[in-house]
Amino acid sequence: QSIYPSAHFACFGDHSPINEKTAAAKAGLGIIGEHSLLITPKHSSYVFLFEIVCDLECNLSAQEITHCEKCGKCKEACPSDFSDKKSCLSAITQKKGELAENEVDLISKANCAWGCDICQTVCPHTIKAIKEGTIYTNNNWFNSNVLPQPSEESIANTQD
């Protein structure tokens, strides 16, 4: 804003008026995976998408959206009905309100409480990023106070 005082800016992350995944793919930041996530060359699908929307004139053109090789590994590993995005375990665990009995059974069977990364962990792009050591960021903000496996003690000591 200080560099372009007459321009208007709006920042978004995770809840945006635009389709973040499509915008990122059109910007050339990655490809769309069979699991429907954006896959970046460096970090695979382990990324957060944020955007700054502005009214500055830019001479940019959208790139063609490309897709993964569709190897089927994510589809094979999926604990729910892969073809129905509403039955995605990640979506179910983030759902508000009452869960159907089959949804509760799926959560219990998969042994998870929040989200599901199964389709991502079996993806060859993720495996490559892990081998290359680029899957995680070196950004200190994301790496401070990491709690990869919560314990009863760490949960009890969590402050609001």
Side-chain angles (χ1 to χ4, degrees):
Q1 190 71 60
S2 63
I3 296 171
Y4 300 100
S6 63
H8 299 91
F9 299 90
C11 301
F12 300 96
D14 200 31
H15 186 73
S16 171
I18 63 171
N19 183 317
E20 295 171 317
K21 175 181 59 180
T22 301
K26 285 184 176 184
L29 298 178
I31 61 176
I32 305 295
E34 188 173 15
H35 49 35
S36 81
L37 301 171
L38 180 77
I39 300 172
T40 66
K42 187 174 181 180
H43 303 292
S44 185
S45 53
Y46 284 79
V47 295
F48 292 105
L49 298 176
F50 297 92
E51 56 277 349
I52 300 172
V53 179
C54 67
D55 59 1
L56 290 172
E57 189 172 322
C58 300
N59 293 323
L60 304 172
S61 58
Q63 296 190 19
E64 185 177 328
I65 294 178
T66 55
H67 295 84
C68 72
E69 304 82 4
K70 297 188 189 246
C71 68
K73 292 185 190 268
C74 57
K75 187 176 184 177
E76 292 168 15
C78 182
S80 62
D81 180 3
F82 189 82
S83 61
D84 179 14
K85 297 301 175 203
K86 289 181 183 175
S87 74
C88 172
L89 185 56
S90 182
I92 292 170
T93 63
Q94 297 176 57
K95 185 176 173 181
K96 292 180 177 32
E98 290 289 320
L99 297 177
E101 188 175 330
N102 66 319
E103 294 171 331
V104 173
D105 290 343
L106 181 62
I107 291 170
S108 178
K109 178 184 161 193
N111 196 27
C112 72
W114 181 263
C116 174
D117 292 336
I118 294 171
C119 63
Q120 295 180 85
T121 57
V122 299
C123 176
H125 294 277
T126 300
I127 293 167
K128 178 179 179 248
I130 290 169
K131 286 179 183 175
E132 292 178 353
T134 61
I135 189 92
Y136 300 112
T137 181
N138 291 326
N139 184 313
N140 287 334
W141 187 85
F142 285 105
N143 292 324
S144 62
N145 300 314
V146 172
L147 186 61
Q149 188 70 32
S151 65
E152 286 185 41
E153 181 182 340
S154 65
I155 293 170
N157 292 331
T158 301
Q159 299 204 10
D160 293 293

